[in-house]
Amino acid sequence: MKRPTIADIAKRAGVSTGAVSYALNGLPGVSTTTRERILAIADEIGWRPNSAARSLSVARAHAVGLVLARTARTLGVEPFFMQFISGLEAELSARGSALLLQVVDGHDAAGAAMRAWWAARRVDGVIVTDLYTEDSRVPLIEQLGIPAVLVGRPRPGSELPGVWSDDAAAVTEETDYLFALGHRHIARVAGLSALEHTQVRTRAFRAAMRRHGVGDAEVIDTDYTGEQGARATRALLTRKDRPTAITFDNDVMAVAAVGVARELGIAVPGELSIVAGDDSQLCVLVHPELTALSRDISAYGAHAARTLLDAVEGLVPPSYQDVTAHLVPRNSTGPPSPAGRGRMDA
């Protein structure tokens, strides 16, 4: 989509391009009413100065934005985002920029927040997380011309750089590990089904299960909270044909699963193996300590910040594939019990 220009504003306002320039730059020469109308039109169509002109005539905000479409309650117990934000902050502060954070209830609200920030020149760029397969924020960012980095794979047809990790390879490793231990009845408790990385992980899990001869692998989608993780675990473990191993998309749900297993008198790992999709202090504070997919989330955040700041400086940063998460075996996984094997063979 063509980037809006001063000429577009002038045409809609019915004034000369010179009058638009005066209004946008806060110069005398236009009436208050005309100035307000021009600014409103500029905001409406998402106009911004080109990067060269902006660097000369407009002071940088020295801040970047992160709008999270999650509930504040979820973020309060989600170690991933705390580690990710710590990595962002470390890189941003080292380069003289601040982080502007807002929590909203969906992608439409996230888009509105980014549009408002950009119009008010409160940010120099934005970090985009929790990407959907069809994500309305991406075309909006491109329309407005906001420097941005996608925390996810680069998108066909988009020039926005992505910082991403190979989720499929990580999920394949954990599934193969459980099969090597002797498990055949493995369930997956996933995160939000609309998220692109959730879909990538689920496809990888089902592909690995098919490769091992299991064609109907069970997946339960959740919102990443401990409550929904516990509910999914309880539903799986109260069946006659309960799984002998369950993988979870984050550490919070895996910790909740340990509590549910204890509540039901199911020994971990004697009767049930559990794997967490994120690794944090939670995984080593719970008993037994949780086998987990581990990577340096702070470094992940730093790489995203570095890529964005390069874009803000007018460079064309390439997409960056971060280190793939690797499995750290701990005490929550082991071979299935003879009773479990019996259920699998029945």
Side-chain angles (χ1 to χ4, degrees):
M1 183 176 292
K2 178 177 174 289
R3 186 172 69 183
T5 65
I6 286 179
D8 296 327
I9 300 171
K11 183 177 180 180
R12 291 189 59 165
V15 299
S16 68
T17 56
V20 172
S21 180
Y22 289 147
L24 294 176
N25 289 289
L27 299 174
V30 293
S31 69
T32 300
T33 301
T34 300
R35 185 187 309 278
E36 290 175 351
R37 185 169 78 255
I38 289 170
L39 293 176
I41 292 170
D43 185 21
E44 178 185 343
I45 69 174
W47 173 87
R48 71 176 185 94
N50 65 52
S51 57
R54 193 170 196 250
S55 65
L56 292 172
S57 62
V58 181
R60 282 262 304 272
H62 295 290
V64 302
L66 173 62
V67 186
L68 296 176
R70 299 281 188 101
T71 64
R73 180 171 171 272
T74 300
L75 292 177
V77 295
E78 179 60 83
F80 173 89
F81 274 109
M82 296 305 100
Q83 295 175 48
F84 183 76
I85 289 171
S86 74
L88 289 177
E89 286 280 18
E91 183 66 23
L92 292 172
S93 62
R95 294 177 60 172
S97 283
L99 178 66
L100 186 58
L101 174 66
Q102 185 169 341
V103 179
V104 298
D105 60 5
H107 281 187
D108 288 344
M114 289 187 288
R115 181 189 289 273
W117 282 350
W118 188 246
R121 295 173 178 166
R122 296 182 65 192
V123 297
D124 299 314
V126 293
I127 299 153
V128 187
T129 64
D130 285 345
L131 289 160
Y132 287 3
T133 303
E134 298 294 331
D135 199 305
S136 60
R137 297 170 298 173
V138 174
L140 174 64
I141 289 166
E142 292 176 326
Q143 174 193 343
L144 298 178
I146 308 175
V149 60
L150 307 178
V151 182
R153 290 173 178 267
R155 306 209 144 201
S158 174
E159 295 182 357
L160 297 178
V163 174
W164 59 286
S165 178
D166 192 342
D167 288 307
V171 169
T172 299
E173 181 187 4
E174 72 175 353
T175 309
D176 289 347
Y177 174 73
L178 291 171
F179 266 89
L181 290 175
H183 295 277
R184 298 297 178 269
H185 190 176
I186 305 168
R188 164 173 157 76
V189 177
L192 295 165
S193 60
L195 294 179
E196 187 173 64
H197 64 259
T198 301
Q199 296 173 18
V200 167
R201 293 170 184 173
T202 295
R203 285 196 299 268
F205 171 70
R206 287 183 165 142
M209 295 291 282
R210 285 195 301 270
R211 181 163 45 81
H212 288 290
V214 179
D216 189 21
E218 182 160 19
V219 177
I220 299 178
D221 295 318
T222 71
D223 64 357
Y224 288 110
T225 62
E227 290 83 358
Q228 288 205 12
R231 188 176 303 124
T233 303
R234 192 172 292 109
L236 290 167
L237 296 184
T238 51
R239 300 175 183 175
K240 183 178 179 180
D241 61 339
R242 69 175 188 251
T244 63
I246 308 175
T247 67
F248 294 84
D249 251 358
N250 70 3
D251 43 3
V252 174
M253 294 193 296
V255 170
V258 173
V260 172
R262 185 176 296 115
E263 164 198 319
L264 297 175
I266 296 172
V268 178
E271 298 173 274
L272 175 70
S273 286
I274 292 175
V275 180
D278 287 325
D279 196 12
S280 72
Q281 284 298 105
L282 291 179
C283 294
V284 295
L285 292 175
V286 70
H287 180 76
E289 294 184 356
L290 292 174
T291 295
L293 290 173
S294 183
R295 58 178 168 151
D296 190 339
I297 302 300
S298 292
Y300 193 42
H303 293 149
R306 195 172 303 131
T307 301
L308 175 57
L309 291 176
D310 285 348
V312 168
E313 294 292 343
L315 304 176
V316 184
S319 292
Y320 180 86
Q321 182 175 351
D322 208 282
V323 176
T324 302
H326 63 280
L327 192 75
V328 178
R330 298 193 181 102
N331 297 329
S332 67
T333 49
S337 66
R341 285 182 181 275
R343 290 198 306 275
M344 290 186 294
D345 296 335

